[in-house]
Amino acid sequence: MKESEAKKAEDILKKYDKESDTMEYTGLMAKIVAAIAIAFSVFQLYTATFGVLDAQLQRGVHLGFGLALVYLLYPTCKSWSRHKLHPFDLLLAILGAAAPAYIIYEYQNLVLRAGTVSDIDLGVGLLGILLVIEATRRVVGLPMVCVVLAFLAYAFAGPYMPGVLAHRGLTVSQLVSHLYFTTEGIFGIPLGVSSTFIFLFILFGAYLESTGLGKFFIDLANSIAGWASGGPAKVAVLSSGLMGTVSGSSVANVVGTGSLTIPMMKKLGYHKNFAGAVEAAASTGGQLMPPVMGAAAFLMAEFVGVPYIDIVKAAVVPAFLYFAGVWLGVHFEAKRENLKGIPRDQLPKIMTLIRERGHLAIPLILIVYLLVSGYTPMRAALVAIVLSIVCSALRKSTRMKPIEIVRGLENGARNVLGVLVACAAAGIIIGVVTKTGVGLKLASGLLQLSGGMLLPTMFFTMITAIILGMGVPTTANYVITSTIAAPALVQMGVPVLAAHMFVFYFGIIADVTPPVALAAYAGSGISGGNALKTGINASKLAIAAFIIPYIFVLSPVLLMMEGSVVELLFSTVTALAGMIALSSALIGYLAANCLWLERILLVVGGLLMIQPGLLTDAIGLTLFGAVLAYQFKRRKSEAQTV
């Protein structure tokens, strides 16, 4: 990639991904920040190897490192210098480290006091909560801050709330004690997962990127699909799906792979709005792709109470259907526009790639094996981190230098900050929910609004998750919706895992849902297209993600939760046929250009095949088959006429 293109990609990433918009230190300050980040990673690796500390101690150290780095790397105002640390930010960085350190220093006394807080405790706790909220504003954004403040306001305004939302209200002392000095608030499950599994998996991803695995995935996708009709677009889908196993960020994935694939698509003949949309839809699906999914997947394992491998297993078929839907949309668009692939002689040879760089994928394969074998996610990630360094050394061309290994520690700590802060802020929300019981109240309200019917409840839950996802990272979005909306689905008889996967999916797909579709906007920034049109095209390509959650709620067999292998295969095949019908209807091409009536029949047939049931599947397949047969007949007739 040319230097100018790399700079453009970096600017786009900073514009649409707040986590990437950091200070640019040089000299001594850069070394100090690097030293803190490396110490953070070393602490995490040490506790993963020799055993984690008590919950509040482990999470306290984790939060202390995180807040210190946030205030050193993210300035108070955008207008402040990006090269020189402001004294105010230095003060906040010191306080950010000191507030959690107080819990570590006073840990025994706090345990003995058993929930009774002193005036000093109250002051430190209040400071800690405010520091978390301000860190959230800097790293995550104002929408998340507004949600947190709304919940805090509710905690105090309980006696003045109408009807079912009313509660006794909390004093400042009660709220601070609950949020800061228990494991029910800031130091709750989300931060606990961040301080163990999530950090190690993000560090693992940082090392995989350092080895050049991302470039290997793009070259591998080129060798597999670059020659096909619409080849570069299919390369984008494949490479983004593979990169999604490493990167949990939609925007970062768009910029990382899109910088290479989007120019290739435009050169082939794809419109710039469609080229950006392909990368956005494919990159967003990366968080749905096992084995290393987005950070929210680790939280789901804790909330649902199942091993992480069960989340991975449940995600396999839906992820396959999602990427199949995007692939089909790309294929039909290529056929409609008669777009060719890249000549085979210009593409890398697959066996050569595997021979020269295939060893880089060994850690990814191993981590799946370890998870299936019963290893804890933390232990599996730890082994995989070591193996990623060892495997890179198998060939001189991929070998990591000692300085690169050290930089991997720094990058891992930097990459975790967004998730860390989102988890801490989500802990505030969970703390208010557990203290006031508002979660069940809102779930009951959702059920009343939907009249106690499943489909309307699912629809309102979907809208809630998408709206929250437009301004809140997936991790925080999942925490909120799993606390508020998922219980409503569970009360309707939906299996717990299916309910949580439902809100997880729609929180992620918000990244390509206009009007705030950050992944699509990043794609349009690279392609030079219109942001809104790119978002609309991305939504069309990602249509599977809007439908698949309804399928696995109505038919949990797709999550491998129940049913036989035959039922799973049948449900997968009919769902895939439904994806083909819907994708062709939205693009306007199946075996030939679609007439309006054909598009309507394909939509109806696709939706019927998605609805579980032999009758609906039979009618859907009949409609789909009729349109396909008629198009083949029409195409043959047109060819004879010519």
Side-chain angles (χ1 to χ4, degrees), residues 359-629:
H359 58 284
L360 298 177
I362 292 174
L364 208 53
I365 297 168
L366 178 77
I367 205 167
V368 177
Y369 171 77
L370 293 176
L371 289 170
V372 171
S373 300
Y375 278 66
T376 65
M378 195 161 65
R379 183 62 60 179
L382 186 63
V383 173
I385 288 168
V386 174
L387 192 64
S388 65
I389 298 171
V390 172
C391 286
S392 74
L394 294 178
R395 280 188 174 273
K396 187 177 180 180
S397 59
T398 61
R399 190 171 300 150
M400 296 174 67
K401 299 174 183 176
I403 188 63
E404 291 175 324
I405 296 174
V406 175
R407 282 179 185 152
L409 295 173
E410 181 187 354
N411 292 335
R414 281 172 169 259
N415 293 346
V416 83
L417 295 179
V419 174
L420 184 157
V421 171
C423 285
I428 295 175
I429 295 169
I430 290 178
V432 173
V433 169
T434 56
K435 195 69 174 174
T436 63
V438 68
L440 289 175
K441 293 173 183 177
L442 289 173
S444 299
L446 196 61
L447 286 173
Q448 289 179 7
L449 184 65
S450 62
M453 294 182 288
L454 180 58
L455 281 175
T457 303
M458 292 164 67
F459 177 77
F460 290 131
T461 301
M462 174 188 77
I463 297 299
T464 301
I466 289 176
I467 290 174
L468 282 170
M470 289 178 181
V472 174
T474 305
T475 307
N477 176 293
Y478 167 71
V479 170
I480 298 167
T481 51
S482 64
T483 305
I484 295 170
L489 294 176
V490 174
Q491 288 183 41
M492 296 291 293
V494 175
V496 176
L497 180 55
H500 282 252
M501 284 288 285
F502 185 89
V503 298
F504 174 65
Y505 253 73
F506 283 115
I508 288 171
I509 207 60
D511 279 344
V512 291
T513 306
V516 184
L518 293 182
Y521 290 176
S524 69
I526 297 172
S527 70
N530 178 277
L532 183 59
K533 290 179 180 178
T534 301
I536 292 170
N537 281 324
S539 295
K540 288 182 182 179
L541 289 170
I543 187 64
F546 291 93
I547 296 168
I548 291 168
Y550 286 88
I551 304 176
F552 60 61
V553 166
L554 297 171
S555 178
V557 67
L558 285 178
L559 299 178
M560 301 189 201
M561 294 172 57
E562 56 185 48
S564 63
V565 175
V566 174
E567 289 175 313
L568 174 63
L569 288 173
F570 181 77
S571 296
T572 304
V573 169
T574 55
L576 184 58
M579 290 295 104
I580 296 172
L582 286 170
S583 294
S584 60
L586 289 170
I587 298 299
Y589 187 97
L590 183 56
N593 287 322
C594 294
L595 305 173
W596 276 106
L597 178 60
E598 291 172 341
R599 295 176 82 161
I600 292 170
L601 291 175
L602 285 170
V603 169
V604 173
L607 292 174
L608 285 171
M609 282 186 279
I610 284 164
Q611 169 70 33
L614 288 174
L615 179 61
T616 53
D617 288 342
I619 297 172
L621 283 169
T622 301
L623 290 173
F624 174 67
V627 172
L628 186 61

Side-chain angles (χ1 to χ4, degrees), residues 33-224:
V33 171
I36 295 171
I38 292 166
F40 188 10
S41 290
V42 169
F43 164 76
Q44 295 289 161
L45 289 171
Y46 178 84
T47 55
T49 305
F50 298 104
V52 297
L53 309 177
D54 289 348
Q56 278 186 293
L57 296 177
Q58 177 80 17
R59 298 166 193 181
V61 176
H62 185 72
L63 181 63
F65 270 117
L67 289 179
L69 285 171
V70 164
Y71 287 114
L72 291 174
L73 289 170
Y74 297 86
T76 301
C77 301
K78 284 190 174 183
S79 59
W80 287 7
S81 170
R82 291 305 173 103
H83 304 285
K84 185 178 180 181
L85 180 65
H86 194 282
F88 180 65
D89 287 334
L90 176 60
L91 173 63
L92 291 182
I94 294 170
L95 292 175
Y102 178 80
I103 289 181
I104 299 165
Y105 181 74
E106 284 286 305
Y107 183 62
Q108 292 298 329
N109 291 331
L110 289 169
V111 171
L112 292 174
R113 287 204 294 270
T116 303
V117 293
S118 66
D119 290 341
I120 296 177
D121 295 342
L122 185 61
V124 173
L126 190 58
L127 175 65
I129 293 168
L130 292 174
L131 285 167
V132 166
I133 294 172
E134 169 60 9
T136 303
R137 182 190 69 82
R138 297 185 185 207
V139 184
V140 182
L142 275 176
M144 181 65 181
V145 173
C146 291
V147 173
V148 170
L149 293 178
F151 274 85
L152 288 174
Y154 174 78
F156 295 116
Y160 312 104
M161 299 299 290
V164 71
L165 292 176
H167 66 92
R168 289 185 302 172
L170 301 173
T171 66
V172 172
S173 177
Q174 288 174 326
L175 188 61
V176 169
S177 174
H178 186 71
L179 293 183
Y180 202 76
F181 294 104
T182 72
T183 53
E184 297 291 326
I186 288 173
F187 299 99
I189 289 176
L191 197 65
V193 176
S194 174
S195 67
T196 51
F197 313 147
I198 293 176
F199 188 101
L200 291 177
F201 273 85
I202 288 177
L203 184 59
F204 173 52
Y207 274 118
L208 287 183
E209 289 181 15
S210 297
T211 63
L213 184 67
K215 181 68 167 60
F216 169 66
F217 280 157
I218 293 173
D219 289 343
L220 184 64
N222 256 313
S223 66
I224 294 171

